Each structure stands twice: as C-alpha cells, then as structure tokens.
Amino acid sequence: MNHALTIRILLFMVLGALFGSLVKFGLTSGAAGAHFVNNVLQVGGKTFISLMQMLVVPIIFVSIVSGVCSLEKADTISSIGFKSFLWFLSTTLLASLLALIIASSFHLGSSVHLAEIVSDNIAPKVTPSLWQFVSDILPSNPIKAMTEANILQVIMFSLLLGVTINVSGDSGRKIAAFFADLNVVFMKYIMILMQVVPYGVFCLLAILFIEQGLNLILGMLNYFIVVLLALFLHLLGTFSTILRLSGLAPKVFFKKMYAAILFAFGVSSSNASIPIILDTMESKLGVSKAIASFVIPLGININKNGTAIMQCVATIFIANIYNIQISLVNYFVLLFMVIMVSVGTAGAPGIGLITLVMILKQLGLPIEGISLIVGVDRLLDMVRTVVNVTGNSMIACLIAKTEKQLDYGVYYRDDSSKTDNTI
Ligand code: ASP
C-alpha cells in the first residue's frame, strides 16, 4: 500500500471518529441526520465489510492450493504445521500470563461496587469437545464448508487438494498454473479495493462513535486501561523481543505491517484482513507464498493473542467484582479454556466477548458480569484484532526464516519511497 493511501486511511479514521462524536452530541439532529446515519453510514460500512469479506474464503482456498503447489517436498508441510502449532501455543500462553500478571497486580475490579447487572443479549454457547473438534475438521462437503465459511475445513480441503495436484504429473502442473494465475487476479482485486478503504473506515468509525460514545469508556476506565496496557506490552514488548531474539529487526517488521495493522484496527476483523496480510507478507516482508498462505489463515482461526489477553483480564475483573476467589486449578482451567475457545472461532468483530461466556461458565463465574464490559468492548476489539493479526504475521516471518523461505532482500528493502499503487 502506498504511503499516500495509508495517510488517507488514517485521516478518514480520525474524521469518522470526529463526525460520529459530533452526531452523538446532537450537531446533526433531526430527520436528515437520522437518515444519513441509518442509511448512508450503515450501508457504507456494511458494503465495505462485504467487499472485503466476500474474498476471504476464495483467497484462502486459492492461495493455500497455489502455496502448497509451490512446495517441493510434502514433509515441508508437516514441518511448517508443527512449528506453527508450537508458536501458536507458546505466544498464547505468554499473552495470557502477561494479562494475568498485569490484571492481578492492578487488583482489577476489587474496588468496584456491584450495581444491578442485567445480561440480556449474550447467550452462552457450548464449548465443543476436543474429539468433536477433531472429527469436524475434515469437511464431508467442501462446497458447504465454503458457503458456511468454515475456515478450518476449507484449509484442510485446500491442503489435500494442493498435495494431490503436486503428485498428479502433467495434469497437475496445468491446474497449478491455473491456481497461480487466479491468485494473481485476487491480489489485483485487493489492490483495487484498497482505494475505497478510507471511505469504509470512515463509516465504521463514525457508526462506532455514534453508537457508543466516549462516556461508556470513562465508566470502565480501569478495565479499559489495563486491557490496553497488556495489549500494547504484548504487541510492542513480547513480539519485538521474539523478533529480535530470532534475528529479525522488529522496527522493519512493524513499519512494513503498518498499513495492514491500520486496516485490521479499522475493521475489527482478522478474517477480513487476511487478503491484505497475505499481500503484506509476500510483497513487503519477503515471506514465501507457501508459508504465508498456510500460517496466516490457520493462525487467524486458531491463534488469537489479543483475544486471549482481553479474556484473561475480563475473567479476573469479573471474579473480583463478584468477590469470587479463583483457585490455582482454575487458573489452569482458564488458560486451557482461553486456548480452546479460540480454536475454530472466526476472527470476526466481537467474537472474543461471545467466547468469554464459555470461559466464565466453565469457571463457574456469573456471565452477567459481561454486561459491565460490553460497552467498552468495541474499542478494545479494534486493538486486540491488531494484536491477533500481528502475532500471526510475526509467526509467519519466524517460520519462513527457519524454513529458509524468507527473502531478506524484500524484508530489509526500503519501501518508504515507493509511490506506485501496489499494496
Ligand atoms: N475481533 C477479533 C478478531 O477479529 C476477535 C475478538 O477478539 O473478538 O481477531
């Protein structure tokens, strides 16, 4: 993404927030104002999300197939898969521990006097068992998996198809070339779409500030600040340290991720950010297509560091305000649940709050406590989405490095003077 476009996105975000605040404080009251908010902003925001979202399943499918086709040996896939799972697990544990330490040392929620709380629109869900998860991972009907956007099933189907194409000789080579071309077409689609991103984020930010306003945040300031602090420490502290220890310059990484981060922040959806991240991985950070197309969609669906942080802090907060002691065993249950609930749940806006219900239920904590934090969750969601996508992008770089599939020339190339329209 060129520099001018990035600045434009940032500017439209600020304008959207300002506009939303002005509407909230009654500057554009009356029928015309309501009409504008309900129709223009809502339709604009929804259209923008649909334009991004409609490409997620096709891009995952096509990029994994063409990525796997470009792998020379089948055992590379299992090596990448094994490393990915190790990184997913260890970064989620680090994120959760950091969140627990910060939330506990701030005695979060201990001084809150409990008001009457009513939770009406958050229904508990049932946590799928591990066996259920394993038995559901292969689709009996890949088309159904695609229409239902069951990303894990789409990933499995794409992997199997890619491997089969690889061993199908001449016919396979023709199909592989077709997928490679289709991939180029999809990347072009993203490039064109980037031009409307500023208007899309304007609508989304304006709606957010009209619906939520800043006063909700002030009411839950302690919780809000602690979650933000943990998110930023993990984003800038943990990720930078891991990158540095692995021999990759964090500054370069963050600079190149900047536009994708901004996008994820604006749309609050790591799934909708997949196309942009894939492009950033390949064209700016030098990660091979094979690694990026495998690690990014998989990570975004099973590894959510930012969501884990919010869920740990929220659990401590809710336990404290209800004056419920969390036992040592329950801390382990919490860690286990945080990892489990992110497996297979899409990276969509607000999903972390829904899966928090499962965690609270498992721990025997009152799910009504969620009503306290729901007001500030929308803004925190934007930041934790950034942490989710950045964590997975970092993992893709690390794996590419160890698999010797990282192009250092691209990673360290200075893109700041680029003025063309590539993203
Ligand atoms: N919005 C987050 C994401 O898309 C998920 C969540 O924590 O609610 O990654």
Side-chain angles (χ1 to χ4, degrees):
M1 194 188 305
N2 67 27
H3 198 55
L5 184 57
T6 312
I7 302 277
R8 205 142 38 96
I9 295 176
L10 205 55
L11 182 72
F12 274 71
M13 269 184 179
V14 176
L15 288 177
L18 276 178
F19 181 78
S21 307
L22 289 178
V23 174
K24 175 95 180 155
F25 292 115
L27 204 89
T28 56
S29 54
H35 176 82
F36 185 75
V37 170
N38 287 333
N39 297 325
V40 181
L41 289 180
Q42 296 282 4
V43 171
K46 200 170 167 291
T47 308
F48 169 62
I49 291 286
S50 302
L51 281 171
M52 286 315 300
Q53 202 81 45
M54 72 163 90
L55 212 64
V56 170
V57 169
I59 278 209
I60 291 176
F61 174 56
V62 171
S63 68
I64 292 187
V65 173
S66 66
V68 172
C69 287
S70 64
L71 285 178
E72 272 145 35
K73 293 189 218 111
D75 57 355
T76 318
I77 299 175
S78 49
S79 158
I80 300 170
F82 180 70
K83 285 180 189 168
S84 304
F85 279 106
L86 275 188
W87 275 115
F88 294 160
L89 197 65
S90 46
T91 50
T92 306
L93 280 177
L94 279 175
S96 307
L97 288 175
L98 178 74
L100 288 179
I101 291 170
I102 295 179
S104 306
S105 49
F106 276 81
H107 303 293
L108 196 60
S110 318
S111 59
V112 174
H113 298 292
L114 200 58
E116 204 175 280
I117 298 163
V118 188
S119 169
D120 38 15
N121 52 2
I122 298 172
K125 280 191 167 187
V126 182
T127 322
S129 74
L130 191 60
W131 298 116
Q132 175 85 40
F133 168 71
V134 173
S135 73
D136 283 351
I137 204 163
L138 283 174
S140 55
N141 177 351
I143 306 296
K144 185 161 173 265
M146 288 184 191
T147 54
E148 288 174 351
N150 186 329
I151 303 296
L152 285 182
Q153 291 191 346
V154 175
I155 292 175
M156 291 310 290
F157 174 66
S158 316
L159 279 175
L160 292 176
L161 185 64
V163 171
T164 316
I165 290 173
N166 260 353
V167 294
S168 300
D170 259 359
S171 310
R173 266 188 287 282
K174 280 182 225 152
I175 299 285
F178 167 75
F179 272 100
D181 285 345
L182 201 52
N183 203 39
V184 173
V185 174
F186 281 156
M187 290 301 154
K188 188 73 190 169
Y189 177 101
I190 304 169
M191 262 163 60
I192 297 168
L193 208 61
M194 287 313 288
Q195 305 305 319
V196 300
V197 171
Y199 314 108
V201 291
F202 174 87
C203 295
L204 293 179
L205 266 278
I207 295 168
L208 174 68
F209 275 77
I210 291 167
E211 285 177 352
Q212 312 260 309
L214 275 178
N215 43 349
L216 270 170
I217 297 170
L218 296 178
M220 278 292 129
L221 204 56
N222 284 356
Y223 168 78
F224 187 77
I225 289 176
V226 169
V227 178
L228 268 192
L229 180 68
L231 286 172
F232 275 107
L233 274 179
H234 193 61
L235 181 72
L236 300 174
T238 315
F239 291 164
S240 299
T241 311
I242 294 176
L243 280 165
R244 189 159 295 134
L245 291 177
S246 310
L248 291 174
K251 209 169 145 199
V252 176
F253 172 80
F254 282 108
K255 206 169 155 202
K256 303 235 171 158
M257 280 295 296
Y258 178 65
I261 284 178
L262 212 59
F263 183 87
F265 181 79
V267 299
S268 282
S269 163
S270 21
N271 258 42
S273 315
I274 289 177
I276 311 264
I277 300 168
L278 283 179
D279 188 77
T280 306
M281 289 289 102
E282 291 170 39
S283 65
K284 290 187 176 176
L285 287 160
V287 175
S288 74
K289 178 187 295 305
I291 304 266
S293 64
F294 179 85
V295 178
I296 297 296
L298 185 68
I300 277 172
N301 274 273
I302 66 174
N303 176 47
K304 301 182 186 67
N305 284 195
T307 307
I309 287 177
M310 177 281 280
Q311 292 176 331
C312 286
V313 176
T315 305
I316 300 286
F317 177 67
I318 290 170
N320 281 348
I321 53 173
Y322 281 94
N323 215 356
I324 299 172
Q325 206 70 29
I326 301 185
S327 66
L328 190 64
V329 174
N330 270 349
Y331 273 109
F332 284 106
V333 176
L334 171 61
L335 289 179
F336 178 75
M337 285 301 292
V338 161
I339 293 166
M340 286 313 293
V341 295
S342 61
V343 176
T345 48
I351 205 79
L353 206 64
I354 306 289
T355 50
L356 178 64
V357 176
M358 304 180 204
I359 298 177
L360 295 179
K361 258 181 91 76
Q362 189 68 36
L363 291 170
L365 294 171
I367 58 168
E368 291 82 359
I370 288 187
S371 311
L372 284 174
I373 56 174
V374 79
V376 291
D377 193 67
R378 192 59 189 81
L379 270 177
L380 290 176
D381 192 13
M382 299 167 86
V383 186
R384 64 178 187 258
T385 306
V386 166
V387 176
N388 290 346
V389 300
T390 312
N392 288 307
S393 305
M394 174 195 75
I395 292 173
C397 289
L398 300 177
I399 295 178
K401 183 173 184 281
T402 55
E403 291 288 327
K404 306 209 178 351
Q405 294 200 41
L406 183 80
D407 186 336
Y408 287 89
V410 177
Y411 189 96
Y412 286 104
R413 183 185 61 205
D414 183 8
D415 290 339
S416 54
S417 56
K418 261 181 133 187
T419 50
D420 65 349
N421 246 0
T422 54
I423 54 172

